[in-house]
Amino acid sequence: MNIPPVISLKNIVFGYRSGNVLDGLNMDVLKGDFVGLVGHNGTGKSTLLKIILGVLTPQNGTVKLFGTPIKKFKDWDKIGYIPQKAGLSVSHVPITVDEVMRMEKASDYEVDEALSSVDMLSYKHQLLRELSGGQQQRVFIARALVKNPELLILDEPTVGVDVKTQEKFYELMQKLNHDFHLTLLLVSHDLHTISHQVHCVMQLDKKTIPYETNTCNIIHTHHKNADHN
Amino acid sequence: MQITTNLFQYEFMIRAFWAGIIVAIIAPLIGSFLVVRRLSLIADALSHVALTGVALGLLLGINPLITTILTTVVTAFIIEEIRSNRQVSGESILAMILPGGLALALILISIANGFNTNLFTYLFGSITTVTNQDIWIIFVLAAFIISILLLFYRQFMYTSFDEESARTSGIPVRLINHLFMVLIALTVSVVMKVVGALLIGALMVIPVISAMQIMRGFKASMFVAIIIALLSVLVGLIASYYANLPAGATIVMVSILSFIVASFLKKNN
């Protein structure tokens, strides 16, 4: 039996008043893939992410998650999402790491387990705002892991972090992909860094450029922005 | 001891304390989430709309609490719709709703041919004129607000802190946001009787930001905010009674004092 793609996008068209941002985009992300979604500002990265997460509906095309059309998709526990700079918006509130974790339905054991997997258990009772950017990011990854997801989506995870934190972050990603068999979709504007870490890259401002070991099934037939490059 | 004996010999003061205690519990509960969402001013905006509700009630001869609840709930829904569609920034919506509510209230008063003295009590609060019926209405609404908060605490918390992730966690964000707006509207309607439309935001927000200065943890801050609000109401009522000051304003001034003390404690910790 064929396993359906984790993410399947077919002929996606989406535009704002100023014109189409995504124009006939196709993409399949298979189980176990580690995909980088790269593009400069305005190339549709955030739009595509919102379409995948069901926040935006494309004007044309179909979106399927784990083989189910997005409108019928209910199994959100399979997806962990870590927004860009998630912790910054709540820096004015004294929320603890434990309270961040409790936003997901989880037992004490599950919380401890998830925090351990990202080496953050000892910070459980610390205030989120007292942690560094890299540590905060690990907490949000842990929160996503509490659900035991099969797909992890990270939006600009390495913006504003130093090289050492970046290295540790990618080590963690490799571990999650390799040891925990998680499918990863990483959104970034930094092609140079990401291309050395992921299995393949989908570059939104160019036609398909499978990078490094091309193990992903990304078909990017046509993209309006590609014509500009 | 003598002080409290004197104070509690009057039925109206006992009712005032009951109303104050209930309000001091629900105002910071809702206020905590408002502070997280950076929507502290929404209480003030809705309180001005609540005045429209009061004016409408007085004009039509209906219990003003009913018309207040209706107008604040409808406005809260409109604010949420505009906010979630990102048509206008949250701050700008509030800047529009705040004077808009007051303007509409003034027009309705004008249609009614003059200023009704009843309306004045809604502007600045009149906790000492709370009736037994008011107490029951406030109690039922407060019980409803607390029950919904307890029932959906995790969802409110997740949506307030991180709307995008909450959505991908299967939480019906839109529904939760609208439900939260209803709770704010109900709280504003209830609190208005105690501290008045112009001072509602103070009781909903000041105890919360005071508690957040000194506490570690959101839940802990929430509990301490309730204690600060209770102290503000009790001390404010006693002080206003003996110094012959307006109760609502005295309560707010005591809560501001709590913020100064909390800031001092934080600085020296």
Side-chain angles (χ1 to χ4, degrees):
Chain A
M1 202 177 103
N2 277 347
I3 301 172
V6 173
I7 301 169
S8 174
L9 304 173
K10 296 274 178 270
N11 195 30
I12 298 297
V13 176
F14 189 92
Y16 297 101
R17 278 179 196 169
S18 52
N20 280 357
V21 181
L22 303 170
D23 197 358
L25 183 137
N26 293 286
M27 171 173 142
D28 278 351
V29 176
L30 299 186
K31 189 173 166 57
D33 277 352
F34 185 0
V35 180
L37 186 65
V38 187
H40 294 113
N41 288 339
T43 50
K45 292 193 307 284
S46 300
T47 303
L48 185 55
L49 206 58
K50 283 177 182 168
I51 287 171
I52 292 170
L53 295 171
V55 180
L56 292 176
T57 309
Q59 278 112 21
N60 197 14
T62 54
V63 182
K64 285 184 180 175
L65 297 173
F66 297 93
T68 308
I70 187 107
K71 287 212 166 149
K72 290 182 182 167
F73 187 75
K74 298 263 183 262
D75 214 354
W76 289 104
D77 277 355
K78 283 184 172 175
I79 300 174
Y81 171 60
I82 296 106
Q84 187 181 0
K85 296 179 180 176
L88 278 184
S89 61
V90 292
S91 57
H92 62 299
V93 181
I95 185 170
T96 63
V97 169
D98 188 44
E99 285 176 319
V100 172
M101 298 297 290
R102 301 285 173 185
M103 289 178 192
E104 291 290 347
K105 262 184 274 173
S107 64
D108 285 346
Y109 175 77
E110 287 166 326
V111 167
D112 290 357
E113 183 111 320
L115 284 172
S116 292
S117 67
V118 296
D119 296 327
M120 287 299 291
L121 185 56
S122 54
Y123 296 91
K124 190 179 173 185
H125 300 294
Q126 198 95 349
L127 289 184
L128 187 72
R129 65 185 178 198
E130 291 171 351
L131 305 180
S132 69
Q135 288 171 324
Q136 286 189 14
Q137 191 183 59
R138 281 172 177 262
V139 171
F140 289 109
I141 292 171
R143 186 181 66 183
L145 291 178
V146 137
K147 300 193 289 183
N148 277 323
E150 292 178 30
L151 165 69
L152 210 57
I153 300 173
L154 298 103
D155 190 6
E156 297 282 6
T158 52
V159 167
V161 296
D162 57 66
V163 177
K164 206 173 173 188
T165 310
Q166 245 183 52
E167 278 170 13
K168 281 180 85 176
F169 167 78
Y170 281 115
E171 264 172 38
L172 176 64
M173 289 299 105
Q174 298 296 351
K175 181 176 135 185
L176 294 176
N177 182 239
H178 192 261
D179 300 351
F180 292 73
H181 310 294
L182 273 171
T183 308
L184 301 175
L185 176 65
L186 222 140
V187 180
S188 175
H189 66 281
D190 184 2
L191 175 65
H192 178 73
T193 311
I194 205 172
S195 59
H196 295 99
Q197 302 293 338
V198 300
H199 296 166
C200 64
V201 169
M202 173 160 184
Q203 207 174 348
L204 272 179
D205 40 11
K206 294 232 171 89
K207 290 186 180 175
T208 319
I209 301 181
Y211 219 90
E212 299 282 306
T213 52
N214 178 21
T215 56
C216 304
N217 275 339
I218 293 175
I219 314 149
H220 188 192
T221 51
H222 177 70
H223 193 280
K224 200 175 183 182
N225 288 320
D227 301 336
H228 303 307
N229 290 279
Chain B
M1 193 64 201
Q2 186 61 34
I3 288 172
T4 49
T5 309
N6 287 340
L7 198 63
F8 287 110
Q9 66 184 319
Y10 300 109
E11 279 284 322
F12 75 89
M13 279 311 287
I14 295 171
R15 285 197 296 272
F17 272 101
W18 275 118
I21 286 167
I22 298 170
V23 161
I25 293 170
I26 56 165
L29 277 179
I30 296 294
S32 296
F33 291 100
L34 287 182
V35 171
V36 174
R37 290 169 179 243
R38 297 182 195 269
L39 279 175
S40 301
L41 280 177
I42 202 171
D44 280 314
L46 283 179
S47 67
H48 285 66
V49 173
L51 278 177
T52 302
V54 172
L56 201 63
L58 295 173
L59 187 68
L60 300 174
I62 305 169
N63 184 340
L65 190 59
I66 295 168
T67 45
T68 301
I69 290 171
L70 286 174
T71 47
T72 49
V73 168
V74 169
T75 311
F77 266 73
I78 293 169
I79 293 174
E80 179 54 25
E81 278 300 312
I82 301 173
R83 190 193 70 85
S84 57
N85 291 332
R86 290 183 166 81
Q87 288 169 279
V88 186
S89 76
E91 188 192 36
S92 305
I93 303 166
L94 299 184
M96 183 175 64
I97 297 281
L98 204 140
L102 196 58
L104 194 54
L106 288 171
I107 289 170
L108 289 173
I109 293 160
S110 158
I111 292 170
N113 287 325
F115 192 81
N116 191 318
T117 48
N118 274 337
L119 197 67
F120 198 75
T121 65
Y122 286 96
L123 260 179
F124 299 105
S126 177
I127 192 171
T128 49
T129 62
V130 169
T131 63
N132 276 330
Q133 192 194 22
D134 289 334
I135 295 276
W136 277 109
I137 294 172
I138 291 172
F139 179 77
V140 169
L141 286 176
F144 174 75
I145 291 164
I146 292 170
S147 307
I148 296 290
L149 265 186
L150 287 175
L151 211 57
F152 296 103
Y153 177 79
R154 189 181 70 82
Q155 288 85 342
F156 282 129
M157 176 116 172
Y158 209 158
T159 313
S160 301
F161 276 91
D162 188 352
E163 206 171 290
E164 284 180 324
S165 302
R167 187 173 281 112
T168 55
S169 201
I171 291 174
V173 170
R174 200 175 135 83
L175 183 72
I176 289 294
N177 280 341
H178 280 86
L179 188 58
F180 183 64
M181 282 297 183
V182 172
L183 296 190
I184 302 170
L186 290 178
T187 307
V188 165
S189 307
V190 169
V191 178
M192 186 162 73
K193 185 75 182 171
V194 175
V195 288
L198 299 181
L199 306 172
I200 284 174
L203 201 56
M204 288 177 81
V205 173
I206 297 170
V208 175
I209 54 174
S210 304
M212 284 182 177
Q213 301 284 315
I214 46 177
M215 295 311 294
R216 295 177 68 82
F218 180 69
K219 228 179 221 175
S221 302
M222 219 181 211
F223 283 120
V224 171
I226 292 173
I227 292 169
I228 292 172
L230 280 169
L231 280 174
S232 303
V233 167
L234 297 178
V235 174
L237 270 179
I238 293 169
S240 68
Y241 176 80
Y242 285 102
N244 200 21
L245 297 169
T250 315
I251 290 168
V252 172
M253 288 316 293
V254 176
S255 72
I256 288 176
L257 196 67
S258 77
F259 176 76
I260 295 168
V261 172
S263 301
F264 180 77
L265 287 174
K266 188 188 179 188
K267 207 175 172 185
N268 289 283
N269 204 337

